[in-house]
Structure formats: C-alpha cells, structure tokens
Amino acid sequence: MKCAHCSLEYQENQLIKAGNLYFCCNGCKSVYEIIKSNNLDEFYKNANNLSKVEISNVDESVVFKEKIANNISQITFNIPNIHCSACVWLIEKFLLKNEAIVSININYFSKRAQVEFIDDKTSVQEILNQITKLGYKVLPLSADYNKAYKNHQKSYSKLIVAVVCVMNIMWLSIARYAGYFSSMDADIKDIINFAEFILCTPVLFYTALPMFNSAKNALKLKSLNMDCLVVGGALLAYIYSLCAMFLRLEYLYFDSVAMIICFVYAGKFLENLTKKNAIKNVDFLSDLINAEVNLIKNNEVVKSSVYEIKKGDVLRFFTGDKILFDGLCVGGKAKLNTSAITGEAKLKSVSLNSKIISSSVVYSGSCDVKTECEFKDSYIQKIANILNNTKKSNLQKLTDKISSYFCFAILFLAFICFLFNIENINEAIIRSVSVLIIACPCALALSAPVCNLCAINQALKHCILFKNANDVENLSKIKYAVFDKTGVLTSFNLKLSSYEIYSKKDILEELLSLNNHILALNIKDNLKLTKHIISNENYTQIDGKGVIYIKDNKKYFLGSAKFLKENGVNVKSFDKTEVFFADEKELLAYFVFENKINDGALELINFLKSKNIECIMLSGDKEQECKKTAQSLNITKYKAECLPTDKIDFLTSLNSKEILMIGDGINDALALKQALVSISFKQASDLAKNTSDIIILDDNLNKIKSAIRLAKRTYFTIKTNLLISLFYNLISLPLAFNGYINPLVAALFMSFSSICVILNAQRLNNFLTKEVK
C-alpha cells in the first residue's frame, strides 16, 4: 500500500489513516494537508520519486544573505532533495503566496535557490520554515561543490564499468564471428551470447542510468532530448537481442548496445571534463562560502566573516591563506601565487603600497591588506557570480529550441524507416536504431554553451570580466562605439595648467573633500588638501553640472561656467576643461586643465574603424577641448557639453540597437544601461560598474580591443560548430536510413561529432594568449 504523498510502499498496518487516505508518517500527512489547503494539487500530476518527509527546524545561518536594495534582501541556499520539475513548481508557487516574496529562482540541475524578499514584511526564518513544511531540506551552498565532486567520482566509475565490459565483449564478439567460419557448435555460441548478455546488462542499466533518468524527466515534461533517442535505440536493440538469444536466432546486438552506451557516455564524460577544465582555475571558490579572514581590530587579530568586512578594513594574510579582497598592501612582505586567475606560474612579490587582487594565494611570508571594496564587489566574488550564472545567450536559446523539435523529427524519421523495412524485422530494428543514435542533437546543443564558457574563461585570464554569456554574442555585433571622454579616452590624471584662488580657501577645501569627481580629486592632489568630511546634509550634487554647498546661510557653487551662470554668477569661460568656485555674488577661484590622451586610445580607435565600427565621443567638456581630443584621435563625430539625458537622446537618435557604450562615471550610467553592450573599468564609479555588462579589471584600453576580437572569434566559432553539426546530420542520416551504417558505427559517428564541436571550442582557450605573444 502506498503513502498518499511520497508514494512509497508500506504494509497497511504501518500507515497512518486519515479519512480515505494513508500516510507513512506525520510529516507526509502535514505536507499533503498544506498542499491541499493551498490549492496546489497540480503538484501530484508530475511529481515522482518523492522521499519520506522529515520536518525539522532550520538554522538560518545556513543561507547566504545579502542586501540588494534599501528594503530588499536576497538569500541563496541549496535544496538537495528536489526530485523533479514538479518540486520546483511546488516550492515557487507556495512561496509566492507570501506577498513579501519579490522573486524566486530555483535551478533544478544545481539544486540552488535564490529568494528575494522585503525585509520588514517577512524574515529568513519564516521563508526557510515554509520550505521545510513542504518536506524539503535546506543546506549551505558549499554542499553543491561536495556533491559535484561525488558525482564526478560516480561518473568515472560508470565509465570504467562500461570500458571493462566492452573490452571483454569485444573478445567474445571476435570469437563468435570467427565461429561463423570454423563451424562453431551451437552450444558454444549460446554460451558466448549469454556471456555478452551478462556483460551488456550493467553497461545499459548502470552506466546509462543518468541517461534513463534524463529521458524519463524529459518525457514527463512532454518533451524529448538526446538521451531519449540514445536509450530508446539501445533499449530496443537490447530487448530484440534478448528475445533472439532465447529463440536462438543468428544475429544478436549485445555488443553493439554496450559499445553504443560506452561511446556516448565517454563523449558526455569528455564534455563534462571540458567544462570542468574551463573553470579549473577557480575551483577553490567553494571555500568562499562562510569563509573567515583575519581582521586587525584595536591592534588585535580577530576572526571575522568575509561578509562583515567593510571598505577600508585592514586584514592580515599568512602563508597558505587565500586573499579574498582587492586592496593595497599596508604592511609586511609576501610572495603571491596568482595562477588561479592569470594562469601564470610566476610568483608575484608584494610589499608596501603594492596592489593586490583577490584570488591570490600567499605562497610565503605574510601581508596586511587594506580593503578597497566589500566582498560582494571583489574580483573573486564577481567571478563566482559569473560561474553560477544560469542565463543563456540568444544563440544558445535558439539552438536549444531547435534541438527539442529536432528530436521529434528524428523519432518520426526512425518510425518511417522501421515501416519501410517491416518485411525484414531484423533489418527494420537495426536501421531504426541507427537513425535514432546517429542523429542525436548533442553536437547542436553543445555548439554555443561550450564556446561561451571557453570565451568567458579566456577573458577572465586577461582581466576582462563578462557578466553574462549573452554579452559575448552582443559584443560581436556592434556597429557603433560611443566613448565618454574624461577617464576613458583622456587620462584621469589631468594636468592642472593654471588656477587662481581669490578667497574662501577653507570652504573650498570642505567642498572638495565631499566630492569624488575626477576633477575635484585632481584639484585636491595638486593643492595637497587634506581636510576630510564624511557627509554633510548641506551638500547637493547635480549630475553633469556641479555642486551646491550651503554654509552659514550662504550658497557656494563648484562646477562649470554654464552651471554658475544658471545660478546667477557671471564667469568667463576659457573654453577648456575647467572648474569654477563662487558664492552667490562673485567668483572665488578657477582651475583650468589640459587633457592627456590615454595610452592605447588611438590604437583602439583605429582598430574599431578597421572593423567598420563607427566611433563617437560624448563629453560634458567644452567644445574646444572636445574638438582637440577628437582631432587627436581621428574621431569625426562628437558632441560636447552633454548632460546624462543628452547622452541617452544621442544614443536613441542613432536608430540602432547595435551600440557599444564605454564610460566610467555616474553621469554615464544611463547611457551604459541604454546601450546593447556597455564597458566600464575597475576604477570607475560603483554605479557605472554595476550598470556595465563588461568590466576591464586592469583599466587597460587595449583590453577592449581584445574583448571585441574574442567576441567575434567566439561568434564565428559558434557558427562553425552549428555548420559542423548540421553538415554531419545531412551526411549521416541518409546513410543510416538506407542501412549503410549499423548502430555501433552510428554511436561512433555521434560521439565524434560532439568531440569535434568541443575541440573546435577549445581553440578559444588560448586565443588572447597567442595574440599577446
């Protein structure tokens, strides 16, 4: 008798009766009542393999929590006992009944869940309790990695079993085929056939078990995938051979079944190994979950969670420690191993004032690091986010859609093939199986994701951070490159060519200490101003124009000539990059700057023009200064004195979606968001970095050129892979349909096509490295 919830078999006297229903435990009974009371009965239509429910309280410390908005938080955790898509459906539907839940994202394959919620309307504990009420366990994220390691060991075991069995079957097959020419006794043939049956069975029902599960899940969702075709063909050949063995027919295909599974599984194993190798340099990201660091506090070293560390804290790292924050060395000496990200085996020596990037490992010595950011903004965490990102590129979505329809078409073709050869049942089965196996859409489905993974990995090694696989595809299609001027094409370190301070230097110093604009920082450096004010409610910044500061009931202005004129202060512009300081009546100081063209800017512009990409410069600076910079860089189209909204209007006026925007400031954020692809730099404002699709982590303009080359090569490689897979099917399908290819050769061909696609994608792994050399 079955439990009404988990469907496990029990004796009637072991079950709990509730009305006309029976339950194995109170947990299952409670979950069943919760599902019924919330009108979620549809769950049971597709649910399968549910386990017995054990409800327990969950410690909320197992989840990773972060703030993503003023009153919205996000928690990430693992739900290991998700059994099918119905489980995902049930959890999402049940949680969304809570109005405080903003969004839920559950990845069925990785068992990872992300929940966004309103802080003041619900709590982490309440959300976790709701999940456990449904009978699901909640574990820390680190469980993902432990499980992945165990799964890899199981995959290796399954491959070994298949290889050993196939090798022995091959020897038996040689003996059987030799017997056709040496008049082997029928009894000996029967023994050989039975031995092949014994060896074939574990290959089909142990090695191919993941394929059976995958096929079963696809069928329950009323869909088909490549595993449906493989296991369907292999199972058909196995059943036929089993019947033929007892009927003592001449042709058996146990050897073909075992070899088909072995070759296909080996192809899958190589595919997974390729993906694993593509991200092997960041495998230690599993240690980030609940990691602790040595915080120097009140001259003492205390252990602290990485999520409690703030910008400006000083951390101490000893030999063997992983550095999890970007920062500046403020004490000690050490040698760092940076190969995890850069791939370079050479050790990097660090001492006072050395820049340190997270992901390095202390090889020897120790160092104190002053953090430049919180953990969520560190280089290593951004890489972790990319690797955990489940979003697909547009091309990958298209190939996935084609693959699903392709499976139905192949199944129909195999049925037609069977009908055509129905007069010879043996030939009909073998040809149909050959069609099913040889036409697997595996190569088609692999075309885009493997290339994108290799490209993102290659970019990371060269300090180019793609936030999404779709950005690689989009970057390859751009027709316009729009640049901000200051900080991108021209250096942050502008030369202060002339200035004059008439009065109120103390107020100017206060005002500058509150401003992080590049020009304000430059003035402070040149004047060696040291005053620092954290915040002031009388300070107002107007993006793209300037700032207003009120002190002693008197207004002060810092900004462009146009901004001061708007506020009733008449000043004379120098038609250069300039900053004016004034009160409500008169000018108090002025500063005039000269621009310095950034290294690599001219080379980048010339490269883009060679690729037929039109270059445009937008700037908030004066016409004369913009014109001078544009002429130096051979840019024919530019616009000066742009406000943030002006940049948006200009992008819209281009009447094209294929726009690349490159900027670094707060005033560029809207334009960065508007463009198809946007690029910013590590030293850019936080708003610009958060809005951008790609971040150049070493602030090198030449890396933009590398990113575009890599994107174009990746897109070309994806299209090449698609052609390989389509050409393969055009050639192989007619051969299989007409009986020129048997199932064994079909499996070889199918695996070979997948390997070709993977090897072609692997060429991207050293693409930028070869360019540098």
Side-chain angles (χ1 to χ4, degrees), residues 566-683:
E566 288 176 357
N567 287 278
V569 184
N570 191 23
V571 296
K572 183 180 178 181
S573 173
F574 295 94
D575 287 329
K576 292 184 177 181
T577 302
E578 58 201 8
V579 174
F580 295 94
F581 172 56
D583 59 19
E584 298 172 87
K585 296 180 180 179
E586 60 182 345
L587 181 68
L588 303 175
Y590 71 84
F591 304 87
V592 181
F593 298 86
E594 287 184 359
N595 285 312
K596 177 186 174 184
I597 302 297
N598 265 331
D599 294 337
L602 182 58
E603 185 182 349
L604 173 61
I605 298 298
N606 290 335
F607 165 76
L608 292 171
K609 286 183 175 181
S610 71
K611 298 296 181 182
N612 296 318
I613 298 171
E614 185 176 353
C615 298
I616 303 166
M617 185 179 75
L618 303 180
S619 176
D621 285 350
K622 295 290 183 180
E623 172 73 24
Q624 185 177 336
E625 197 64 43
C626 289
K627 183 178 181 181
K628 182 180 176 181
T629 303
Q631 287 175 342
S632 301
L633 295 172
N634 298 324
I635 296 175
T636 57
K637 186 180 286 189
Y638 67 91
K639 187 175 181 181
E641 299 186 59
C642 290
L643 296 174
T645 51
D646 295 330
K647 293 183 179 182
I648 287 286
D649 293 339
F650 185 88
L651 294 184
T652 304
S653 70
L654 291 175
N655 292 321
S656 175
K657 293 183 178 179
E658 293 145 340
I659 300 171
L660 166 65
M661 178 69 199
I662 304 162
D664 69 317
I666 294 173
N667 60 332
D668 298 319
L670 291 175
L672 290 168
K673 191 72 175 176
Q674 173 80 5
L676 176 67
V677 191
S678 52
I679 296 179
S680 192
F681 304 88
K682 187 181 178 183
Q683 298 299 330

Side-chain angles (χ1 to χ4, degrees), residues 59 112 138 158 161 169 177 197 212 218 246 322 333 346 357 374 462 467 481 500 582 588 599 619 647 677 690 770:
D59 181 0
R112 175 168 293 189
V138 177
K158 292 178 188 294
V161 168
I169 285 177
Y177 291 130
F197 159 71
F212 275 102
F246 287 108
K322 297 180 179 70
K333 290 184 178 180
K346 187 177 179 181
I357 188 170
E374 294 182 8
H462 291 81
K467 292 183 180 178
E500 190 74 46
L588 303 175
D599 294 337
S619 176
K647 293 183 179 182
V677 191
N690 292 335
K770 290 177 181 177

Side-chain angles (χ1 to χ4, degrees), residues 98-140:
N98 184 343
E99 294 180 357
I101 303 294
V102 177
S103 69
I104 306 168
N105 180 22
I106 301 176
N107 187 319
Y108 166 65
F109 298 101
S110 67
K111 317 297 185 188
R112 175 168 293 189
Q114 282 186 334
V115 181
E116 294 179 11
F117 62 94
I118 302 172
D119 290 319
D120 54 4
K121 291 187 177 180
T122 190
S123 65
V124 174
Q125 190 65 61
E126 185 179 348
I127 294 171
L128 298 182
N129 287 343
Q130 286 179 302
I131 294 173
T132 55
K133 280 179 183 178
L134 294 174
Y136 296 98
K137 296 178 182 178
V138 177
L139 293 179

Side-chain angles (χ1 to χ4, degrees), residues 6-58:
C6 67
S7 298
L8 295 179
E9 290 281 355
Y10 291 90
Q11 296 294 325
E12 185 175 348
N13 58 1
Q14 295 177 303
L15 296 171
I16 300 170
K17 188 175 181 181
N20 297 323
L21 301 174
Y22 292 86
F23 299 94
C24 63
C25 63
N26 285 319
C28 282
K29 180 175 176 290
S30 299
V31 171
Y32 182 86
E33 289 171 352
I34 291 170
I35 292 173
K36 281 286 184 181
S37 63
N38 285 277
N39 298 317
L40 298 172
D41 307 61
E42 189 179 340
F43 164 71
Y44 291 107
K45 292 181 180 178
N46 294 314
N48 62 294
N49 296 331
L50 294 177
S51 59
K52 185 175 179 177
V53 175
E54 295 178 7
I55 299 176
S56 59
N57 290 326
V58 180

